[in-house]
Amino acid sequence: MNLHRQDFHAWTRQQADLMKSGRLGELDTVNLIDEIEDMGASRERELESRLGVLLAHLLKWRYQPDHRTRSWRLTIAEQRRRIARLLARNPSLKPLLLQALADAYGDAVLVAARETDLDESTFPAACPFALENIMEDGWTE
């Protein structure tokens, strides 16, 4: 079994040391390629996750106006800031934004339904929010 599977931390240190010393021919290129691709995919997953949290709170805000809290408002603001930073640091994610939004919406419905005790059918089948509004500071409806 190779070091990549036995001790990931040690493997990363080994790979870094090999690169630093210029011993590129000794690199575990197959696993390095997989890990680099996974790092990029993790940014996509983070975008989708943050959009899901944001959308769930926007749904709760819209469908339970009598239960609005400062915490919900602050979570909405926080996720907007974190998404904006993620996109600023990874501009190549911007073309994926609409698909990530569509993918995150289904999860957001489940979260909103669980946290509000409203039936899932209460919420629209497709995201009712425009992307521009979702990311607009202060916008909640």
Side-chain angles (χ1 to χ4, degrees), residues 45-141:
R45 290 188 299 272
E46 180 182 357
L47 176 62
E48 190 176 314
S49 175
R50 294 201 177 283
L51 283 167
V53 173
L54 175 58
L55 290 169
H57 279 74
L58 288 172
L59 287 169
K60 293 186 324 184
W61 191 271
R62 177 176 281 181
Y63 288 91
Q64 283 203 318
D66 295 341
H67 294 84
R68 291 177 179 168
T69 65
R70 180 174 185 265
S71 174
W72 288 1
R73 184 178 50 77
L74 292 174
T75 297
I76 290 168
E78 174 192 6
Q79 292 307 314
R80 284 180 174 144
R81 289 173 52 96
R82 289 177 180 254
I83 292 166
R85 266 197 318 270
L86 180 62
L87 292 171
R89 291 178 183 156
N90 300 276
S92 63
L93 290 174
K94 288 179 184 174
L96 308 176
L97 199 50
L98 287 175
Q99 184 61 52
L101 182 69
D103 292 343
Y105 181 71
D107 297 336
V109 166
L110 296 174
V111 170
R114 182 183 70 236
E115 293 181 2
T116 62
D117 284 330
L118 295 172
D119 192 83
E120 295 153 63
S121 64
T122 305
F123 306 105
C127 183
F129 310 116
L131 179 59
E132 307 80 53
N133 292 339
I134 289 169
M135 292 304 297
E136 183 181 325
D137 281 340
W139 182 88
T140 51
E141 290 200 62

